[in-house]
């Protein structure tokens, strides 16, 4: 499997930031891992042509292909921009927009139907972890959010503990190992053999300084990076660490 270094720019970035994508592509023009940037929606079309070495994805899609849904974008529309991935079920969407596992499942299905690779996000809150409920929460989210049609080619899972996002806090390497091994096991029971090659990303406060340790954990096949993906200077050492893992 080719590992994946993915950046989620969230609601950051204007046209002047496209140069960061071009720089990353130039620095990794023969990368041994897949590189992805998910910019905000208004940058999708120019981002696609910013570098031939960086894949582009959206941060959300609607579950329907078209219709009366003001302000939303559908998976076929994202595909039409030349983007190849879409993130669904990020914890910020689950919180800000009340997205449920069933909604995330429908979005992931729409994404795959449109020919996009869906990055399905799951992760526990600090309260879940303190309650000893982490693995139960992950199981529930996987069962609810990952559609039966998901394959290793069409789907990526991102494990993002909510309390580690944008906080500078990260789980211990043992906690990451436990979560990722559990996710692999659960997906195997849920989807069968294809789960063995499905890429499992860790996300939450990944930086150049901690990336190598995180990528050495079994069943960590890449990262979904927020803040440290906004500049080529910060993202490059993470890509390098993944290539060396
Ligand atoms: P940070 O890397 O800024 O913690 O964000 C992680 C994230 O939410 C990526 O989707």
């Amino acid at each position: 499997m080719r590992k994946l270094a993915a950046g989620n720019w969230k609601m950051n970035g204007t046209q002047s930031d496209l140069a960061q994508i071009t720089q990353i592509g130039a620095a990794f023009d023969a990368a041994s891992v897949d590189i992805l940037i998910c910019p905000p929606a208004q940058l999708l079309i120019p981002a696609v042509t910013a570098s031939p070495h960086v894949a582009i994805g959206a941060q959300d899609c609607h579950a329907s292909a078209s219709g009366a849904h003001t302000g939303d974008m559908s998976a076929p529309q994202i595909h039409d921009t030349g983007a190849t991935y879409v993130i669904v079920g990020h914890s910020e969407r689950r919180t800000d927009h009340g997205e449920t596992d069933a909604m995330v499942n429908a979005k992931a299905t729409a994404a795959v139907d449109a020919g996009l690779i869906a990055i399905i996000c799951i992760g526990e809150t600090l309260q879940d972890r303190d309650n000893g409920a982490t693995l139960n929460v992950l199981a529930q989210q996987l069962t609810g959010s990952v559609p039966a049609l998901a394959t290793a080619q069409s789907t990526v899972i991102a494990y993002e503990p909510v309390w580690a996002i944008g906080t500078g806090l990260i789980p211990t390497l043992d906690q990451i190992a436990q979560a990722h091994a559990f996710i692999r096991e659960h997906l195997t029971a849920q989807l069968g053999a294809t789960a063995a090659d499905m890429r499992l990303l860790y996300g939450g406060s990944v930086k150049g300084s901690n990336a190598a340790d995180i990528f050495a954990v079994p069943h960590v096949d890449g990262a979904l990076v927020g803040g440290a993906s906004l500049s080529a200077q910060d993202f490059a050492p993470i890509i390098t660490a993944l290539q060396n893992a």
Side-chain angles (χ1 to χ4, degrees):
M1 121 200 0
R2 257 172 89 90
K3 294 179 178 176
L4 175 62
N8 173 11
W9 281 9
K10 309 190 180 185
M11 199 171 68
N12 298 292
T14 54
Q15 292 182 61
S16 62
D17 297 299
L18 294 166
Q20 302 302 320
I21 298 174
T22 306
Q23 273 181 44
I24 282 289
F28 295 95
D29 59 351
S32 58
V33 300
D34 289 338
I35 302 170
L36 167 69
I37 293 287
C38 298
Q42 94 284 6
L43 293 181
L44 281 173
I45 289 172
V48 163
T49 52
S51 170
H53 307 295
V54 179
I56 299 301
Q59 299 173 10
D60 176 48
C61 68
H62 197 277
S64 298
S66 65
H69 302 289
T70 301
D72 278 316
M73 201 182 328
S74 74
Q77 289 172 328
I78 293 165
H79 186 266
D80 184 56
T81 68
T84 49
Y85 286 78
V86 61
I87 299 168
V88 293
H90 192 282
S91 70
E92 288 150 16
R93 296 221 44 104
R94 290 176 185 260
T95 302
D96 293 357
H97 299 274
E99 292 191 5
T100 62
D101 287 330
M103 290 164 72
V104 175
N105 189 310
K107 289 176 180 220
T109 302
V112 173
D113 283 348
L116 298 169
I117 298 173
I119 301 180
I120 302 173
C121 301
I122 60 170
E124 82 285 0
T125 64
L126 194 53
Q127 194 184 356
D128 294 332
R129 184 161 282 281
D130 289 345
N131 290 342
T134 296
L135 299 185
N136 284 342
V137 167
L138 297 182
Q140 198 177 344
Q141 291 175 332
L142 289 168
T143 301
S145 303
V146 180
L149 56 68
T151 66
Q153 288 69 41
S154 72
T155 305
V156 175
I157 305 296
Y159 168 56
E160 300 204 308
V162 176
W163 53 276
I165 294 175
T167 58
L169 302 172
I170 60 164
T172 65
L173 298 176
D174 281 349
Q175 287 171 332
I176 296 175
Q178 186 194 32
H180 278 244
F182 176 80
I183 292 165
R184 181 81 68 200
E185 188 183 35
H186 193 279
L187 288 172
T188 301
Q190 188 174 338
L191 301 173
T194 197
D197 296 320
M198 190 170 282
R199 292 178 292 184
L200 310 184
L201 310 184
Y202 169 79
S205 297
V206 177
K207 310 264 180 276
S209 54
N210 59 25
D213 287 344
I214 293 170
F215 295 147
V217 173
H219 301 294
V220 175
D221 308 312
L224 183 55
V225 182
S229 73
L230 293 172
S231 78
Q233 192 184 338
D234 290 341
F235 198 33
I238 296 171
I239 299 168
T240 300
L242 188 60
Q243 292 197 124
N244 293 339

